[in-house]
């Protein structure tokens, strides 16, 4: 019997081509010889396809193991990568023969603000990233950080499903939120008495408008550049969640943290939609169970946040605790600036996003 050799190379993977490509690339071999006559090849193709179809009808389909490539926008082993890495380990342990994850690494593999493009363009298949880093693709993704609601609430009220209606046209799907109740804070070396007048602050899009409203001159840099910027006095402070700054060594160049915090840091599993749709139902069901497990682990963040605050105190960071009136003013300014920005960038969806993600 002749054997069929056919494959289309695409980034080192074997993928089926279309019918015409299939027929045009046929090479049949029998004991070292090749059938090259076009008509003979065509007849042989029909025979092989008929036999293949019969075999598919005769035996149940079995999913082949698929390996998905993944990166994190945050340093490996750091506060915002740990839950994702636990998920990867669990998938690889329980998904043998079905789904595996090739975890390539953190920002050294793909710069943080390029991670969204990397998953959209299938350089990788899924990523651990904050929506703040891919607002160039989905501007509304920033709304996921402007919330005090738990992941459970955001699932129940349809917020994450609604966000996915905005991501799908961009070829993306948000699979799991991997943080809960991790507030952002102002960190500064010049103190804080209600405003940031005269201070140069490193920002990301999530608190750019708030810091400007507080009077700061804002500077946007990648996280990996902040230590040097603080050391050289390029910036006087920055915004960052309660967790993760010690992993990056910033405590060595930071004097104060302002309490209370504001918003809630978000990072999650973002996946290429075409890749997700290409998986078998069994593979999707397996991964959905894993993503649900990962979201359930968010319950540990309350303890993790308390531990991070204690570590910061031990590292010599002093807390500037605002009185209730000043704290309420900061929260209100933060909320007003956040939702004002969302409605500016997305007039069609802004009100709905505020209703779903905003204050209960």
């Amino acid at each position: 019997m002749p054997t069929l050799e056919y494959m289309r190379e695409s980034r080192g993977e074997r993928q089926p081509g279309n019918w015409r490509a299939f027929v045009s690339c046929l090479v049949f071999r029998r004991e070292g010889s090749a059938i090259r006559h076009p008509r003979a090849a065509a007849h042989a193709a029909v025979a092989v396809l008929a036999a293949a179809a019969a075999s598919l009808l005769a035996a149940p389909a079995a999913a082949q193991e698929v390996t998905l490539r993944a990166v994190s926008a945050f340093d490996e082993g750091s506060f915002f990568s740990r839950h994702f890495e636990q998920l990867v380990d669990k998938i690889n342990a329980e998904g043998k023969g079905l789904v595996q994850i090739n975890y390539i690494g953190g920002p050294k593999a793909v710069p943080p603000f390029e991670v969204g493009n990397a998953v959209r363009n299938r350089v990788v298949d899924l990523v651990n990233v904050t929506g703040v880093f891919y607002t160039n693709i989905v501007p509304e993704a920033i709304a996921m950080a402007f919330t005090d609601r738990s992941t459970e609430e955001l699932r129940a009220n349809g917020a994450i499903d609604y966000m996915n209606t905005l991501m799908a046209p961009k070829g993306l799907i948000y699979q799991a939120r991997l943080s809960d109740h991790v507030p952002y804070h102002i960190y500064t070396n010049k103190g804080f008495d209600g405003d940031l007048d005269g201070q140069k602050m490193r920002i990301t899009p999530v608190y750019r408008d708030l810091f400007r409203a507080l009077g700061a001159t804002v500077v946007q840099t990648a996280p990996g550049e902040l230590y040097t910027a603080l050391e050289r006095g390029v910036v006087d402070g920055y915004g960052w969640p309660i967790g993760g700054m010690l992993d990056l060594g910033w405590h060595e160049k930071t004097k104060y943290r302002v309490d209370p915090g504001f918003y809630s840091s978000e990072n999650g599993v973002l996946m290429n939609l075409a890749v997700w749709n290409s998986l078998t139902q069994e593979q999707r069901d397996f991964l959905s169970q894993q993503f649900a497990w990962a979201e359930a682990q968010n319950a540990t963040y309350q303890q993790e946040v308390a531990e991070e605050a204690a570590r910061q105190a031990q590292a010599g960071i002093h807390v500037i605790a605002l009185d209730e009136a000043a704290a309420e003013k900061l929260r209100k300014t933060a909320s007003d600036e956040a939702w004002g920005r969302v409605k500016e960038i997305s007039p069609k969806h802004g009100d709905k996003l505020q209703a779903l993600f905003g204050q209960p």
Side-chain angles (χ1 to χ4, degrees):
M1 290 289 294
T3 59
L4 170 66
E5 295 180 356
Y6 168 70
M7 74 176 183
R8 183 183 67 186
E9 291 295 335
S10 176
R11 296 178 295 107
E13 299 172 350
R14 296 189 176 188
Q15 299 181 350
N18 60 36
W19 160 248
R20 291 182 179 178
F22 178 81
V23 171
S24 68
C25 295
L26 284 172
V27 178
F28 289 85
R29 299 189 183 280
R30 182 189 290 116
E31 298 177 356
S33 64
I35 302 174
R36 300 191 181 275
H37 191 281
R39 183 172 296 177
H43 285 302
V46 173
V48 171
L49 287 175
S55 67
L56 288 173
L57 291 173
Q64 292 185 339
E65 181 180 281
V66 62
T67 298
L68 304 175
R69 295 156 300 178
V71 297
S72 177
F74 307 95
D75 287 340
E76 297 168 60
S78 66
F79 185 90
F80 291 109
S81 283
R82 288 197 294 267
H83 279 228
F84 179 69
E85 290 163 353
Q86 291 167 8
L87 171 64
V88 169
D89 289 344
K90 188 170 184 291
I91 289 172
N92 286 342
E94 299 177 8
K96 290 181 173 63
L98 194 63
V99 179
Q100 294 288 280
I101 306 292
N102 176 16
Y103 180 39
I104 300 168
K108 291 180 180 178
V110 180
F113 286 95
E114 292 300 321
V115 167
N117 282 323
V119 69
R120 184 187 188 189
N121 296 327
R122 285 203 63 183
V123 176
V124 292
D125 301 308
L126 74 161
V127 297
N128 172 44
V129 65
T130 170
V132 179
F133 288 172
Y134 56 92
T135 53
N136 60 315
I137 303 171
V138 186
E140 297 89 352
I142 198 170
M144 294 190 290
F146 298 151
T147 188
D148 289 325
R149 297 179 188 268
S150 68
T151 300
E152 186 176 9
E153 290 178 285
L154 296 174
R155 286 287 181 191
N157 76 356
I160 294 175
D161 288 340
Y162 189 80
M163 184 60 69
N164 268 327
T165 67
L166 306 180
M167 294 198 179
K170 309 299 177 66
L172 301 170
I173 181 170
Y174 191 86
Q175 296 285 22
R177 185 179 175 109
L178 301 183
S179 61
D180 258 350
H181 303 305
V182 182
Y184 287 93
H185 286 264
I186 297 170
Y187 296 88
T188 175
N189 290 327
K190 287 192 171 181
F192 183 82
D193 59 1
D195 62 54
L196 293 170
D197 285 346
Q199 297 199 44
K200 296 170 293 184
M201 301 294 288
R202 181 264 180 184
I203 53 89
T204 67
V206 73
Y207 36 80
R208 177 195 294 120
D209 297 290
L210 170 61
F211 282 16
R212 282 176 173 168
L214 294 174
T217 299
V218 299
V219 179
Q220 183 165 316
T221 69
E225 299 170 0
L226 180 55
Y227 186 97
T228 301
L230 289 165
E231 187 174 46
R232 296 177 178 176
V234 174
V235 296
D236 302 308
Y238 52 95
W240 194 257
I242 187 69
M245 56 92 73
L246 288 103
D247 295 329
L248 297 163
W250 298 344
H251 60 287
E252 298 174 4
K253 303 297 178 181
T254 303
K255 293 181 180 178
Y256 306 107
R257 184 187 77 237
V258 178
D259 282 0
F262 51 92
Y263 308 150
S264 182
S265 175
E266 172 274 330
N267 65 286
V269 179
L270 187 68
M271 191 169 181
N272 182 282
L273 181 58
V275 170
W276 174 250
N277 289 335
S278 73
L279 301 178
T280 67
Q281 188 62 52
E282 183 181 9
Q283 290 165 337
R284 289 196 297 269
D285 288 345
F286 169 75
L287 286 175
S288 293
Q289 294 171 0
Q290 301 298 317
F291 296 145
W293 172 87
E295 289 191 340
Q297 306 315 300
N298 290 349
T300 66
Y301 273 111
Q302 185 174 1
Q303 179 63 30
E304 291 179 54
V305 165
E307 291 172 354
E308 285 291 303
R311 289 177 63 205
Q312 288 185 15
Q314 292 171 0
I317 295 175
H318 301 286
V319 174
I320 299 174
L322 303 182
D323 60 37
E324 188 56 38
E328 180 58 30
K329 181 180 179 182
L330 175 61
R331 292 193 194 98
K332 184 178 186 307
T333 303
S335 179
D336 291 347
E337 293 296 327
W339 293 111
R341 168 62 66 177
V342 172
K343 293 173 186 179
E344 179 181 330
I345 62 177
S346 185
K348 181 178 178 180
H349 302 287
D351 288 335
K352 182 67 172 180
L353 290 169
Q354 184 174 10
L356 294 171
F357 287 94
Q359 294 286 344

